[in-house]
Amino acid sequence: MRDLRDYSLLEHNTFGIEGRCIRFLEYASAEEARQVAHILSSASEPILIIGGGSNLLLTSDFKGIVVHSAIKGYEVCQRNDATGEVLLRVGSGETWDDVVDYCVSRGWQGAENLSLIPGDVGASAVQNIGAYGAEAADLICEVEAVEIATGQICVIPVDECEYGYRQSRFKKEWKNKYLITYVTYRLKSFNYTLNVAYGNIRTELDRRGIGEPTLRELREVIIAIRQEKLPDPKVQGNAGSFFMNPVVERSQYEILQKQYPQMPHYFVDEQHEKIPAGWLIDQCGWKGRSLGHAGVHDRQALVLMNRGGATGEEIVRLSDTIRQDVYERFGIRIYPEVNIV
């Protein structure tokens, strides 16, 4: 277990913003997680549990304890040769995209549309990461965690996590209640259908002359699309998509659709429609613009960037200005996906 004082978080956030914490605790096993839980249960300082830092915006030093998982490892805990189902148990400190590559390399379907999403496995269960018509909740079977208050190891079935669009109980009433140790995903080794209908996946496959892609080909296409749209945080600090796509009442959507016939949208249910936040922001003229050292990516308006030397406050100011502009023009409130601390 790592236990460090006055620790820099610069390498733990993809915005590349300096910030320090009073104490940094990192566990590399379930038993170490129990030790950390014991420390936290008697601590008076605030707690911040982080993953890879790809969903984190620091606005100042954190006057408390930051906790991080370094649990590694993959374990196939069940295979069903009749159905092709594979249950894969993964340490919460593994990098998510490594998990996707691991699955694709073995011909296991389910995670490929989530290729190149930054972050750790533990965060996938908290945030319910999603892209291109897929979500982590589609794959998660159960989450193992240590309860901070008691130090007990818990196994939480997926249906108790109450997953929704970028939401889970870990982000709401379970916030700072558990330290995630392992996540088990359900995949398929055969008899599956690939999801190529979302976004411009099919267009890119056609451009490459691929009719029925393999898992590897689909992963490569999704990586190429994401790299084209999203800046590398190692080159220019960012947290990927900064805003969640708003889900609006159908009545509001129908009014807007008459005003903006070309507005992209995605069916949610009979009462709701999802509208891409990036399109709303782009319509407000923000793509490629900056406020101070913070800016909007010139190819993907969902992405806010540290153009060099930006503070967390500058990123927040840019975010607030964009949100107000979107609301004034469309009557829609958009909200950050990023955890602002």
Side-chain angles (χ1 to χ4, degrees):
M1 184 178 78
R2 296 175 73 198
D3 185 350
L4 304 170
R5 307 282 179 154
D6 188 26
Y7 183 78
S8 171
L9 298 171
L10 181 62
E11 299 301 318
H12 292 274
N13 75 96
T14 57
F15 263 115
I17 292 174
E18 177 61 274
R20 307 187 76 83
C21 61
I22 293 174
R23 191 175 186 181
F24 180 82
L25 298 173
E26 185 177 71
Y27 56 93
S29 67
E31 184 53 42
E32 287 188 1
R34 296 184 70 186
Q35 296 174 38
V36 170
H38 178 71
I39 294 171
L40 298 177
S41 64
S42 58
S44 59
E45 300 91 344
I47 300 169
L48 175 63
I49 302 171
I50 65 172
S54 59
N55 200 47
L56 177 66
L57 174 60
L58 297 172
T59 58
S60 63
D61 290 340
F62 185 70
K63 306 297 185 182
I65 303 172
V66 172
V67 185
H68 180 254
S69 171
I71 297 179
K72 303 292 186 180
Y74 300 78
E75 176 193 1
V76 176
C77 46
Q78 185 176 314
R79 292 194 71 151
N80 187 321
D81 292 334
T83 64
E85 183 177 277
V86 178
L87 297 186
L88 179 67
R89 181 175 180 254
V90 185
S92 56
E94 289 284 359
T95 299
W96 168 254
D97 193 55
D98 290 346
V99 177
V100 180
D101 189 62
Y102 185 91
C103 294
V104 168
S105 297
R106 285 155 180 78
W108 300 341
Q109 182 269 340
E112 60 285 342
N113 284 44
L114 304 177
S115 290
L116 210 65
I117 294 179
D120 292 349
V121 162
S124 78
V126 174
Q127 178 74 3
N128 188 20
I129 57 174
Y132 299 105
E135 292 182 332
D138 301 331
L139 308 176
I140 293 173
C141 177
E142 63 186 24
V143 179
E144 295 173 53
V146 171
E147 187 177 34
I148 292 174
T150 65
Q152 292 183 338
I153 295 176
C154 307
V155 179
I156 306 169
V158 64
D159 57 3
E160 293 184 13
C161 298
E162 295 183 4
Y163 285 118
Y165 175 58
R166 304 297 183 271
Q167 288 294 335
S168 72
R169 296 179 77 181
F170 295 108
K171 291 184 70 175
K172 296 182 286 189
E173 69 264 34
W174 288 353
K175 186 175 182 179
N176 292 338
K177 183 176 180 179
Y178 293 105
L179 299 177
I180 295 176
T181 53
Y182 293 91
V183 181
T184 299
Y185 303 98
R186 180 181 285 107
L187 306 148
K188 297 204 73 174
S189 60
F190 62 84
N191 194 29
Y192 52 76
T193 301
L194 299 183
N195 182 359
V196 300
Y198 201 93
N200 54 344
I201 294 175
R202 184 70 266 171
T203 300
E204 180 61 20
L205 287 170
D206 290 343
R207 191 187 69 80
R208 297 181 180 209
I210 301 173
E212 298 294 331
T214 63
L215 282 173
R216 176 60 61 185
E217 287 172 335
L218 180 53
R219 171 168 161 78
E220 289 174 353
V221 161
I222 289 173
I223 287 174
I225 293 171
R226 289 183 66 89
Q227 287 178 332
E228 174 67 23
K229 294 195 304 181
L230 303 174
D232 185 344
K234 295 176 182 177
V235 177
Q236 201 153 42
N238 72 90
S241 297
F242 193 90
F243 300 100
M244 294 184 286
N245 292 320
V247 175
V248 303
E249 296 284 342
R250 180 156 301 278
S251 57
Q252 184 179 13
Y253 156 73
E254 290 174 350
I255 292 171
L256 288 171
Q257 202 275 333
K258 290 177 182 178
Q259 294 178 269
Y260 305 95
Q262 303 305 314
M263 179 178 67
H265 57 94
Y266 301 97
F267 176 84
V268 176
D269 56 40
E270 295 299 331
Q271 288 77 41
H272 300 91
E273 201 80 8
K274 183 186 295 182
I275 299 173
W279 183 85
L280 297 171
I281 297 166
D282 190 13
Q283 294 300 301
C284 292
W286 274 104
K287 187 182 286 186
R289 288 176 56 192
S290 298
L291 278 182
H293 298 94
V296 180
H297 189 42
D298 59 3
R299 293 195 301 275
Q300 174 50 271
L302 271 182
V303 179
L304 305 191
M305 300 186 302
N306 177 357
R307 295 201 184 278
T311 63
E313 289 89 344
E314 283 182 294
I315 303 290
V316 170
R317 185 167 67 250
L318 175 61
S319 167
D320 289 346
T321 305
I322 290 171
R323 293 176 63 198
Q324 184 62 32
D325 281 1
V326 168
Y327 179 71
E328 289 178 358
R329 177 162 181 176
F330 296 100
I332 294 176
R333 295 196 183 278
I334 59 174
Y335 296 95
E337 181 178 328
V338 171
N339 182 22
I340 300 172
V341 178

